[in-house]
Amino acid sequence: MELSFLGAAGTVTGSKTLLRVADRNVLVDCGLFQGVKTLRNRNWAPPPFNVRDLDAVVLTHAHIDHSGYLPVLVRQGYAGPVYCTSATRDLCEILLLDSAHLEEEEADFLNRHGKSKHHPALPLFTTDDARRAIERLTPRAFDTPFDVCPEVRVTFLHAGHILGAAMAQVDVDGRRILFSGDLGRTDDPIMPAPANPETPDFLVLESTYGDRLHDRTDPGAQLAEILHRTFARGGSVIVPAFAVGRVQSLLYWIARLKSAAEMPDVPVYLDSPMAVNVTKTYSSHLADQRLSASECAQMCGAATFITSVDQSKWLDTRAMPSIIIAGSGMATGGRVLHHLKAMSDNWRNTVLFTGFQAPGTRGSTMVNGGSEVKIFGDYVHVNAEVVQLDTLSAHADYGETLNWLSKFDKPVGSIFLNHGEPAAADSLRRRIADRFGWPCQVVEPMESVCLDFGKSTRNGDSHDEGEHRED
């Protein structure tokens, strides 16, 4: 067996890991690279494998950094199944079509305004590409093994994180590889805690927050303080938010604050057709979350849904305080850019980021004190208060990750850390080595690792499974 780390190695985007078993090829996750231009440019490069040799694709969850390359893969000739959970299938339909629309919209804008060095500017993929990819989605139930090809059996286990998110447990000829996907929080109010699987021989583990612990402050109290502070000076709160997971967390806490009369009575708008559709999807998958039907309905009713462009434009003309939630979470696209362009220069307003901001994104620039950001080709001054709320993270921190690892009943043969910035991944590697003494390595971009019961061969060198490098 061989693992090739084709994305989310040295970074948190572009998740793709190729599993080769004899002449079988299974791709685990198929994500887009996001963030700085050098990463985004990788999306335009030819796939680093023969697409027609793929037997199957397995998705851990629907986020674009794990699923967004599927339309390109299908356009390149992939015609096999894409296995995922039922909720992931429904969310992917929404996200991929929206992503394609944004690609086409951006290319059209650049062409109309002559703001691209390419003539013409082209979308990375089209709506037709996205629809063909959606046709390949093949839902499978949690906790139910299924064969993706004769030699490879997969079981989806709950990962928490977002609706439908799964770990992919892969069994091959008596050996087990566990792909964590993105691990969720133990005490998330909406999503279940990550499952405690049987100990795998090999573990591919995310390391997004491998170097930090999350703030344990009550998110509701923090949010209430930010809202009161902003409304007291007559401002509005603009929230760039990820449509899947983060928007619903915000709506959950806003609904609770409203119910307890702990926030001013100001209008709340969800200005994202995609996020609106995603939020409605939660009602169809109650078994995959902690919320009851009534709690889910309360969450969905916490905001006025904005769908039309005219309604979205109207929001920027209002003088009264409000909360505007719109995509995307790192301010890389979507309607939130129009709100930021219109409202970031006003000191009364607050721009509230609620998640990780990848280097090179507008969100990263703003939370790190940037005085201006470029939006639609123009530089916009940032005079609004910029706040990052870390308590809503949907990723396990290193403490939660170590606690999850401690539930295994025996040592893991080898751990491969991906989906993390270099410092975060290496920090988690050290912590795992110190606490457990298990072999653990941070994977490199495009690296391939040969797997065997007694040995893990990397870059041509063999290492006994019981050894790890001293620091």
Side-chain angles (χ1 to χ4, degrees):
M1 294 192 296
E2 183 181 73
L3 290 176
S4 296
F5 299 97
L6 310 179
T11 182
V12 294
T13 68
S15 292
K16 299 180 197 71
T17 305
L18 183 64
L19 171 64
R20 292 186 176 92
V21 182
D23 61 345
R24 301 293 182 179
N25 296 275
V26 177
L27 186 66
V28 179
D29 283 332
C30 190
L32 276 187
F33 286 100
Q34 299 169 301
V36 296
K37 187 174 182 180
T38 53
L39 285 175
R40 300 196 311 271
N41 284 343
R42 296 185 192 180
N43 296 320
W44 296 87
F49 53 87
N50 189 333
V51 170
R52 296 181 186 276
D53 287 343
L54 280 182
D55 293 281
V57 177
V58 175
L59 290 187
T60 60
H61 63 287
H63 275 151
I64 289 297
D65 62 325
H66 290 257
S67 71
Y69 192 75
L70 281 173
V72 181
L73 195 75
V74 170
R75 191 182 64 216
Q76 294 281 349
Y78 179 67
V82 178
Y83 294 104
C84 58
T85 66
S86 178
T88 295
R89 186 260 168 235
D90 291 349
L91 292 177
C92 276
E93 180 172 8
I94 298 169
L95 267 65
L96 294 179
L97 287 174
D98 183 83
S99 185
H101 174 71
L102 291 176
E103 287 283 343
E104 293 172 330
E105 194 175 60
E106 182 177 7
D108 179 66
F109 178 88
L110 293 173
N111 287 325
R112 284 189 289 108
H113 294 273
K115 291 183 176 291
S116 174
K117 64 181 179 180
H118 302 288
H119 305 287
L122 298 174
L124 179 63
F125 55 86
T126 67
T127 298
D128 286 342
D129 295 327
R131 289 199 176 100
R132 286 193 292 271
I134 291 164
E135 291 175 358
R136 312 313 311 163
L137 296 173
T138 307
R140 291 291 184 265
F142 279 106
D143 303 314
T144 306
F146 60 95
D147 293 331
V148 300
C149 55
E151 289 81 9
V152 182
R153 172 163 287 197
V154 172
T155 306
F156 285 132
L157 308 172
H158 283 283
H161 187 55
I162 65 167
L163 191 69
M167 306 176 215
Q169 179 178 281
V170 181
D171 290 292
V172 183
D173 193 24
R175 292 168 288 181
R176 175 165 292 172
I177 310 167
L178 181 64
F179 295 86
S180 73
D182 287 356
L183 283 181
R185 310 289 300 280
T186 303
D187 55 356
D188 188 283
I190 300 176
M191 299 311 305
N196 297 317
E198 294 181 8
T199 307
D201 298 294
F202 306 100
L203 170 62
V204 179
L205 176 63
E206 70 126 321
S207 55
T208 308
Y209 288 112
D211 60 348
R212 71 193 77 176
L213 296 173
H214 294 314
D215 186 347
R216 301 295 174 180
T217 307
D218 175 22
Q222 280 190 316
L223 182 59
E225 180 183 352
I226 294 167
L227 298 181
H228 280 284
R229 186 168 70 237
T230 306
F231 301 147
R233 58 180 185 252
S236 292
V237 179
I238 307 99
V239 189
F242 299 102
V244 183
R246 201 54 45 85
V247 162
Q248 292 71 41
S249 292
L250 282 166
L251 295 180
Y252 169 84
W253 287 108
I254 289 172
R256 286 193 55 169
L257 292 175
K258 281 185 172 183
S259 178
E262 293 178 356
M263 64 171 279
D265 185 20
V266 301
V268 181
Y269 301 103
L270 179 55
D271 184 21
S272 165
M274 177 173 66
V276 167
N277 290 331
V278 167
T279 302
K280 293 176 179 178
T281 300
Y282 274 61
S283 300
S284 303
H285 295 279
L286 293 172
D288 293 343
Q289 59 185 292
R290 297 182 194 256
L291 299 184
S292 65
S294 61
E295 289 171 329
C296 190
Q298 186 181 38
M299 174 189 75
C300 294
T304 299
F305 292 164
I306 301 296
T307 54
S308 75
V309 173
D310 287 341
Q311 288 175 314
S312 180
K313 291 179 179 179
W314 171 77
L315 294 179
D316 293 335
T317 67
R318 297 184 76 260
M320 300 298 291
S322 63
I323 302 172
I324 301 173
I325 305 170
S328 61
M330 298 183 193
T332 55
R335 292 184 179 182
V336 76
L337 295 184
H338 295 278
H339 300 309
L340 291 175
K341 188 170 185 178
M343 305 172 77
S344 293
D345 192 35
N346 189 334
W347 66 271
R348 290 184 170 85
N349 297 329
T350 295
V351 180
L352 175 61
F353 290 95
T354 59
F356 178 82
Q357 303 301 308
T361 61
R362 293 183 187 88
S364 176
T365 298
M366 294 181 76
V367 299
N368 286 300
S371 61
E372 59 182 13
V373 288
K374 194 174 185 179
I375 300 177
F376 301 132
D378 298 320
Y379 283 96
V380 177
H381 290 289
V382 181
N383 292 320
E385 179 183 3
V386 178
V387 182
Q388 186 167 24
L389 187 63
D390 292 325
T391 50
L392 296 181
S393 176
H395 284 269
D397 61 22
Y398 76 73
E400 291 165 318
T401 300
L402 294 175
N403 183 61
W404 178 74
L405 289 172
S406 72
K407 304 292 179 59
F408 290 130
D409 59 4
K410 59 183 178 180
V412 177
S414 281
I415 298 177
F416 305 100
L417 296 179
N418 71 343
H419 204 284
E421 299 295 331
D426 195 60
S427 177
L428 184 58
R429 178 191 65 80
R430 291 169 181 267
R431 293 180 187 279
I432 291 172
D434 289 345
R435 179 164 174 178
F436 302 106
W438 299 344
C440 184
Q441 61 195 51
V442 177
V443 300
E444 301 291 338
M446 307 304 293
E447 178 180 10
S448 293
V449 178
C450 293
L451 307 179
D452 203 345
F453 272 127
K455 295 180 179 180
S456 173
T457 303
R458 180 186 193 186
N459 295 332
D461 297 323
S462 295
H463 304 281
D464 290 339
E465 291 293 318
E467 296 179 355
H468 64 278
R469 188 178 68 190
E470 295 295 333
D471 295 310

